Amino acid sequence: VTANFRAKKWGREAMVATISALVSEKLEGNACRIRIHINGHEAIALIDTGNELPTVMAQRFAELHGIKTHAITPVMADLAGTGVKRELTEGASIEIGVTTPISRTKSTVKLRACIFPTNRDDIIIGIKDVVRHFIPLTVELLLTAFGKDLWPPTMVAALASLAGDVFGISAMAP
């Protein structure tokens, strides 16, 4: 996905999730990037399960699409694990639209994102928001990355359904 992203190959077939980040940060295609919509605008999201921070949206994306920002309580961010710290002082209320790759289920989530100075990704969705809002999407991405064609259709349907149940249970948790 990362190699296709850099080469600006935007076709649906080019945006297949990979899980090579489990192997090495140095490999091409080492991250899970997916196509989403932010406030109705097409965007590329990095699903970053190693990110403990709130979800962050690129400042350039907010400016390009006229997304209003507001002051927030400062949040310290480590820039991609480099040890370089940056204080984030702006945020935005956004709406993220996703379509799951197997069941083609469409969903919309409203959340708050910090504004982040990055030129690489439009938005980085951290683990907390993955767990709160995107469990079915994540399960289907994993099934896709590991070859859903290798799984019996009933198993894929059962896992996708289980993901929806887990999501529903987690939504009820305090």
Side-chain angles (χ1 to χ4, degrees):
V1 172
T2 301
N4 289 333
F5 180 74
R6 286 188 189 132
K8 297 187 178 178
K9 293 180 184 174
W10 299 106
R12 185 172 171 194
E13 66 283 351
M15 297 305 291
V16 175
T18 63
I19 312 298
S20 58
L22 297 174
V23 179
S24 170
E25 279 293 319
K26 295 179 181 159
L27 294 176
E28 284 293 335
N30 66 348
C32 182
R33 287 187 170 83
I34 60 168
R35 193 182 310 247
I36 65 167
H37 286 87
I38 301 172
N39 290 6
H41 305 284
E42 190 167 291
I44 300 297
L46 169 64
I47 305 296
D48 189 355
T49 57
N51 178 6
E52 292 288 331
L53 292 172
T55 292
V56 293
M57 181 173 57
Q59 182 175 6
R60 63 157 173 76
F61 187 87
E63 291 169 356
L64 178 66
H65 296 291
I67 297 172
K68 293 181 182 179
T69 63
H70 56 271
I72 61 170
T73 303
V75 175
M76 288 303 291
D78 180 352
L79 302 182
T82 62
V84 176
K85 301 285 185 191
R86 184 72 158 296
E87 187 176 67
L88 307 180
T89 59
E90 287 186 85
S93 295
I94 59 173
E95 186 173 273
I96 295 177
V98 300
T99 302
T100 58
I102 297 172
S103 67
R104 307 302 298 161
T105 302
K106 294 183 181 205
S107 63
T108 304
V109 173
K110 292 182 181 186
L111 55 86
R112 295 181 190 150
C114 293
I115 302 300
F116 191 70
T118 181
N119 291 319
R120 186 165 183 182
D121 299 297
D122 297 326
I123 192 164
I124 301 170
I125 300 174
I127 188 64
K128 291 177 184 175
D129 282 326
V130 168
V131 170
R132 285 185 192 128
H133 306 292
F134 300 109
I135 289 175
L137 172 67
T138 305
V139 168
E140 288 195 25
L141 287 171
L142 290 168
L143 286 170
T144 301
F146 287 112
K148 71 173 173 138
D149 297 334
L150 303 175
W151 297 68
T154 53
M155 178 67 80
V156 171
L159 287 170
S161 177
L162 177 62
D165 293 344
V166 170
F167 177 70
I169 292 166
S170 68
M172 293 186 289

